[in-house]
C-alpha cells in the first residue's frame, strides 16, 4: 500500500530514521591533527583549528587553534613602508601596540573603523553606559573585566593605557577615520576586515579584532572564540585592489575634505580576477545598488560560483537570507549535487532564513510569507546548526565547492551585505586552500543539530492552525487584471503563468539577468517557450 507523506513530514521521518540508525550525530574529535600543506602565497588559519595549539595571552589557557591575533601581529611586523587597516572593530591591545611601534618607526599607518566602534570604551560616560542596550551592556562589562589587569575591581589609567586598544591608537597619534568621514551619520556598516602591508601582503578575515572573535570571551573559560578564518595572501596585484578600496574610503584622511566614500557612495567596480601560481582569485567589494543587476553584485557572484558545483557544496554561514542564492542551490540539488549547510543558531530559524527553505519549511510574519519565498519541494536533511562552546558563534561566511573552490571574506549572504555594507568577497580556486576550509567544515559538521528546535516547529504548526488567511507560497495568487512583468517578476509570479513550472521560471530569471527582455522574440529564445506559449501569455504578461 502506498502512503503519501507531504514533504514536511517526509523530512522529519528521514531525520527520525537517521537518528535511529546512529548516522546523524558523531562525537566531536578533540585531538591534534597533522597540519595540512599550505599554499606559499595563500595561507589559511582557523582559531579553532585542530592541527595547531597555542598559549593564550589574555587568559591562562593552552588550547587547540591558530592564534589569529599573532598572525596579524606577525604580518604587521613585516611592514617597511605602509600599513592600511579597514576593520569593523579593533579591541585587541597587542595589535594596537604593534601598530604604534611601526608608526614610531616611520611606517605610514592608516586605520578605518566602523563608527559604532570607533570610541574607546573607557571614554563612555555613566549616562552613556546606562543607555546601552543589553548586548552592549554585556560587552562593556566584559571590557571592564578585561582591562582590570590585576583584578582588584579598580580600573586605573595605567591599565586603560595597556588594554584599551583605541586609547593606544589615539595616544600614539595613529591617523584614523570612521565611516562618518564622508559627512554622513555613517554608512550601513563598515564591515571590512582586511590589512594591506607594503602593497604586498594582505590579511582577509571573517574575524573582528576582538578577544571574542579570535580566542574567546575573557570571562568565560569555556569559550574558544567565535568560529572564524583568516587568510594571509602575498600578491602585489591583489594588494593593489585592496589599496584602491581603502583609498576610496580614506579620501583625504583625518581633517581633510569630506571626500571619503563609503557604502553606495563608492563607484561601481567590476570584480577582478587575479591568477597566481596555483590559484585563481576573484576579488569583489560591496555594496551595489539594488537597482543594478543582481548578477553583478557580490551575492550574484556567489550564486554564479555555486552554480558551477558538480558534486558537493558545503556551507558554514553566519547569516543566509538571499533568496536567489537559495534558488540556485535548489537547482543544484535537483541536479544531484550534495548540499550540506551549517548556519549560526541565532539566525538559522528566522523567517528570512534560507535554511528553512532548504528544509522545505517556512515561517510567516503576521500570517504573510515573503512574496518570493520558495521552500524546497525536495528538502534536505543535511541542514542545521553546529554545537559550539558556550557563548561562541558561527561567524564564518564560507562555502567549499567540489573540494576545489572556496567562497569567503567578510561578506554575509544577505541583502544588507550586498546592498548596504562595505564588504570583501573572495572566490579562490585552489585545492590546497579548499582542503583547509573543508577540514574546518567537517570539524563543525560533526556536531550538527539537524532540523528544527521544538519551539520553532511549534510556531510553524500554530501558524497553520491560527492563520486561516495565511498566504502560502503554493496558494499565492495574483490579480488577473495586473500583468506580470517578465523582467521583474518573482519566481512565484512567473509560475502563475500558463505552462510555467519551477524550472522554466528559473530559466526565465537566468535569461533576463544576462539581458533584459525588450521583445517577445527575446522571450521566445528561452528553451521551452514556443510561439503558442507566448500567445497564451500576451494578455497576462509584459516586459515593459
Amino acid at each position: 500500500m502506498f502512503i503519501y507523506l507531504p514533504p514536511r513530514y517526509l523530512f522529519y521521518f528521514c531525520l527520525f530514521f537517521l537518528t535511529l540508525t546512529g548516522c546523524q550525530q558523531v562525537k566531536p574529535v578533540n585531538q591534534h591533527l597533522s597540519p595540512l600543506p599550505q599554499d606559499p602565497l595563500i595561507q589559511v588559519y582557523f582559531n579553532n583549528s585542530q592541527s595547531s595549539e597555542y598559549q593564550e595571552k589574555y587568559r591562562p589557557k593552552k588550547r587547540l587553534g591558530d592564534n589569529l591575533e599573532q598572525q596579524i601581529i606577525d604580518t604587521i611586523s613585516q611592514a617597511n613602508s605602509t600599513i592600511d587597516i579597514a576593520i569593523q572593530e579593533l579591541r585587541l591591545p597587542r595589535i594596537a601596540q604593534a601598530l604604534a611601534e611601526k608608526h614610531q618607526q616611520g611606517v605610514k599607518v592608516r586605520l578605518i573603523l566602523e563608527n559604532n566602534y570607533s570610541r574607546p570604551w573607557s571614554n563612555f560616560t555613566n549616562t552613556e553606559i546606562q543607555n546601552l542596550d543589553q548586548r552592549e551592556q554585556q560587552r562593556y562589562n566584559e571590557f571592564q573585566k578585561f582591562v582590570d589587569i590585576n583584578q582588584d575591581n579598580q580600573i586605573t589609567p595605567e591599565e586603560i593605557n595597556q588594554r584599551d586598544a583605541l586609547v593606544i591608537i589615539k595616544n600614539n597619534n595613529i591617523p584614523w577615520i570612521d565611516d562618518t568621514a564622508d559627512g554622513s551619520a555613517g554608512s550601513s556598516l563598515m564591515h571590512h576586515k582586511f590589512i594591506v602591508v607594503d602593497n604586498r601582503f594582505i590579511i582577509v578575515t571573517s574575524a573582528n579584532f576582538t578577544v571574542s572573535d579570535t580566542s574567546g570571551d575573557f570571562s568565560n573559560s569555556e569559550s574558544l572564540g567565535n568560529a572564524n578564518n583568516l587568510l594571509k595572501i602575498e600578491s602585489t596585484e591583489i594588494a593593489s585592489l585592496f589599496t584602491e578600496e581603502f583609498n576610496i574610503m580614506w579620501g583625504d584622511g583625518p581633517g581633510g575634505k569630506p571626500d571619503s566614500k563609503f557604502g553606495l557612495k563608492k563607484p561601481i567596480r567590476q570584480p577582478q580576477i587575479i591568477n597566481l601560481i596555483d590559484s585563481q582569485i576573484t576579488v569583489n567589494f560591496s555594496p551595489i545598488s539594488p537597482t543594478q543587476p543582481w548578477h553583478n553584485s557580490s551575492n550574484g557572484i556567489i550564486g554564479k560560483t555555486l552554480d558551477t558545483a558538480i558534486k558537493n557544496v558545503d556551507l558554514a554561514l553566519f547569516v543566509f537570507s538571499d533568496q536567489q542564492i537559495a534558488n540556485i542551490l535548489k537547482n543544484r540539488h535537483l541536479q544531484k549535487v550534495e548540499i550540506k549547510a551549517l548556519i549560526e543558531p541565532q539566525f538559522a530559524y528566522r523567517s528570512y532564513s534560507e535554511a528553512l527553505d532548504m528544509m522545505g519549511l517556512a515561517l510567516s510574519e503576521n500570517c504573510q510569507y515573503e512574496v518570493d519565498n520558495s521552500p524546497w519541494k525536495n528538502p534536505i536533511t543535511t541542514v542545521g546548526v553546529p554545537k559550539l562552546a558556550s557563548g561562541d558563534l558561527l561567524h564564518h561566511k564560507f562555502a567549499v565547492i567540489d573540494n576545489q573552490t572556496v567562497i569567503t571574506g567578510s561578506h554575509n549572504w544577505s541583502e544588507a551585505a550586498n546592498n548596504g555594507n562595505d564588504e570583501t568577497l573572495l572566490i579562490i580556486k585552489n585545492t590546497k586552500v579548499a582542503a583547509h576550509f573543508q577540514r574546518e567544515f567537517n570539524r563543525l559538521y560533526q556536531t550538527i543539530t539537524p532540523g528544527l528546535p521544538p519551539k520553532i516547529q511549534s510556531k510553524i504548526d500554530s501558524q497553520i492552525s491560527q492563520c486561516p488567511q495565511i498566504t502560502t507560497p503554493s496558494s499565492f495568487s495574483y490579480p488577473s487584471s495586473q500583468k506580470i512583468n517578465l523582467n521583474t517578476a518573482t519566481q512565484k509570479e512567473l509560475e502563475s503563468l500558463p505552462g510555467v513550472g519551477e524550472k522554466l521560471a528559473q530559466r526565465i530569471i537566468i535569461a533576463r539577468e544576462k539581458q533584459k527582455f525588450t521583445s517577445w522574440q527575446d522571450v521566445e529564445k528561452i528553451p521551452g517557450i514556443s510561439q503558442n506559449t507566448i500567445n497564451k501569455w500576451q494578455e497576462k504578461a509584459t516586459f515593459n
Side-chain angles (χ1 to χ4, degrees):
M1 179 178 67
F2 175 78
I3 300 176
Y4 171 75
L5 285 176
R8 177 163 67 90
Y9 295 102
L10 181 61
F11 171 77
Y12 287 103
F13 173 79
C14 293
L15 284 182
F16 176 70
F17 175 76
L18 287 169
T19 302
L20 284 179
T21 58
C23 296
Q24 195 61 47
Q25 293 289 347
V26 180
K27 289 185 178 180
V29 176
N30 187 23
Q31 62 185 26
H32 202 298
L33 302 179
S34 299
L36 294 171
Q38 292 273 20
D39 183 274
L41 300 181
I42 310 173
Q43 298 175 20
V44 188
Y45 301 95
F46 299 93
N47 61 333
N48 284 293
S49 169
Q50 293 174 316
S51 60
S52 60
E53 62 182 20
Y54 72 100
Q55 176 69 49
E56 291 188 18
K57 295 295 183 180
Y58 307 116
R59 301 185 299 181
K61 187 182 185 71
K62 188 172 184 179
R63 40 80 63 83
L64 290 176
D66 295 323
N67 187 342
L68 302 189
E69 181 185 28
Q70 192 60 50
Q71 294 296 335
I72 294 166
I73 291 170
D74 290 347
T75 303
I76 290 171
S77 70
Q78 294 177 271
N80 293 312
S81 57
T82 59
I83 302 171
D84 291 334
I85 300 184
I87 182 69
Q88 180 186 359
E89 186 171 9
L90 170 56
R91 304 292 184 187
L92 291 171
R94 294 179 65 239
I95 291 178
Q97 190 59 48
L99 292 173
E101 290 171 4
K102 283 296 176 180
H103 179 61
Q104 292 164 7
Q105 294 169 13
V107 172
K108 183 180 179 181
V109 180
R110 302 187 295 176
L111 171 65
I112 298 176
L113 299 166
E114 155 61 32
N115 77 90
N116 290 307
Y117 303 103
S118 62
R119 282 186 63 197
W121 278 117
S122 55
N123 284 4
F124 277 54
T125 66
N126 289 332
T127 301
E128 287 174 322
I129 295 166
Q130 291 171 3
N131 290 333
L132 294 173
D133 61 31
Q134 183 178 1
R135 177 177 178 272
E136 291 302 298
Q137 283 272 6
Q138 292 172 346
R139 298 181 80 241
Y140 178 79
N141 292 335
E142 182 80 357
F143 164 79
Q144 290 287 96
K145 295 174 184 177
F146 177 67
V147 171
D148 186 10
I149 298 173
N150 61 8
Q151 300 296 295
D152 65 352
N153 296 318
Q154 299 292 323
I155 306 298
T156 66
E158 291 76 13
E159 287 173 323
I160 289 172
N161 289 336
Q162 289 183 59
R163 282 283 175 94
D164 192 326
L166 294 185
V167 167
I168 295 171
I169 293 296
K170 294 175 183 182
N171 284 347
N172 286 274
N173 298 314
I174 294 174
W176 68 275
I177 63 169
D178 62 25
D179 51 322
T180 63
D182 60 359
S184 72
S187 65
S188 178
L189 198 66
M190 207 300 294
H191 198 246
H192 278 313
K193 306 157 200 318
F194 71 77
I195 302 175
V196 185
V197 171
D198 289 350
N199 200 43
R200 177 182 174 188
F201 302 105
I202 313 100
I203 283 181
V204 180
T205 178
S206 62
N208 287 303
F209 296 175
T210 66
V211 176
S212 294
D213 250 12
T214 54
S215 57
D217 299 338
F218 179 73
S219 61
N220 176 6
S221 61
E222 298 302 314
S223 170
L224 296 173
N226 301 331
N228 278 301
N229 62 81
L230 180 149
L231 291 91
K232 294 175 70 172
I233 303 171
E234 182 177 356
S235 165
T236 55
E237 291 177 286
I238 294 175
S240 294
L241 297 176
F242 279 87
T243 299
E244 178 187 17
E245 171 74 359
F246 189 95
N247 286 339
I248 290 170
M249 297 186 293
W250 184 259
D252 285 333
K257 298 176 182 179
D259 59 352
S260 295
K261 293 181 175 63
F262 291 91
L264 290 173
K265 293 182 179 180
K266 294 187 300 189
I268 296 175
R269 287 165 292 160
Q270 298 299 314
Q272 299 296 312
I273 299 175
I274 305 298
N275 291 304
L276 301 182
I277 295 173
D278 294 314
S279 311
Q280 182 186 87
I281 303 181
T282 301
V283 181
N284 197 62
F285 299 109
S286 299
I288 190 172
S289 169
T291 63
Q292 296 293 316
W294 181 81
H295 65 267
N296 290 341
S297 70
S298 286
N299 282 356
I301 296 167
I302 290 171
K304 180 180 178 181
T305 306
L306 293 170
D307 209 24
T308 66
I310 297 173
K311 296 179 181 179
N312 56 279
V313 174
D314 292 333
L315 314 173
L317 303 173
F318 186 58
V319 179
F320 182 18
S321 58
D322 189 290
Q323 185 66 54
Q324 294 188 74
I325 295 178
N327 292 343
I328 289 170
L329 285 172
K330 176 169 58 177
N331 289 337
R332 290 292 86 207
H333 171 55
L334 293 174
Q335 298 301 316
K336 310 303 181 185
V337 172
E338 181 183 16
I339 298 172
K340 298 176 184 175
L342 293 169
I343 313 295
E344 160 56 33
Q346 66 174 299
F347 294 113
Y349 312 116
R350 304 286 182 95
S351 61
Y352 53 74
S353 174
E354 302 309 328
L356 295 175
D357 274 33
M358 292 189 281
M359 291 187 281
L361 304 167
L363 271 172
S364 73
E365 294 291 339
N366 299 319
C367 294
Q368 293 287 321
Y369 292 120
E370 294 177 320
V371 172
D372 60 351
N373 197 47
S374 183
W376 294 12
K377 295 178 182 178
N378 297 292
I380 56 178
T381 61
T382 50
V383 180
V385 299
K387 182 175 177 58
L388 303 173
S390 175
D392 291 347
L393 307 176
L394 179 68
H395 202 238
H396 287 307
K397 305 100 172 44
F398 79 74
V400 186
I401 301 167
D402 293 340
N403 302 107
Q404 64 182 13
T405 302
V406 172
I407 301 170
T408 190
S410 69
H411 185 96
N412 288 307
W413 295 18
S414 67
E415 182 179 334
N418 208 41
N419 302 134
N421 299 352
D422 297 293
E423 303 274 10
T424 301
L425 175 70
L426 296 180
I427 312 292
I428 304 172
K429 295 183 179 180
N430 180 305
T431 55
K432 284 184 180 179
V433 171
H436 285 267
F437 280 89
Q438 191 65 59
R439 176 181 277 189
E440 171 70 357
F441 178 85
N442 293 344
R443 178 188 73 82
L444 291 163
Y445 193 76
Q446 290 176 85
T447 66
I448 185 174
T449 300
L452 296 181
K455 181 179 179 180
I456 303 299
Q457 183 59 62
S458 176
K459 186 175 181 179
I460 291 176
D461 292 340
S462 66
Q463 286 180 354
I464 294 173
S465 61
Q466 295 176 15
C467 297
Q469 77 280 18
I470 197 166
T471 304
T472 65
S474 58
S475 65
F476 199 96
S477 60
Y478 303 90
S480 57
S481 60
Q482 181 179 344
K483 286 191 175 184
I484 293 171
N485 189 328
L486 297 179
N487 281 317
T488 61
T490 66
Q491 180 168 329
K492 287 299 172 185
E493 288 174 324
L494 292 171
E495 288 180 14
S496 71
L497 292 170
V500 180
E502 183 177 351
K503 291 184 178 180
L504 182 53
Q506 278 295 307
R507 286 200 293 272
I508 294 170
I509 291 171
I510 292 169
R512 78 187 186 197
E513 286 178 355
K514 295 179 180 177
Q515 184 175 351
K516 287 190 176 297
F517 306 126
T518 59
S519 67
W520 287 111
Q521 287 76 18
D522 292 340
V523 179
E524 193 176 358
K525 294 176 183 178
I526 300 172
I529 297 180
S530 64
Q531 183 59 52
N532 187 44
T533 304
I534 289 175
N535 291 339
K536 295 178 181 178
W537 290 1
Q538 287 183 339
E539 294 299 316
K540 300 177 181 291
T542 182
F543 42 81
N544 296 317

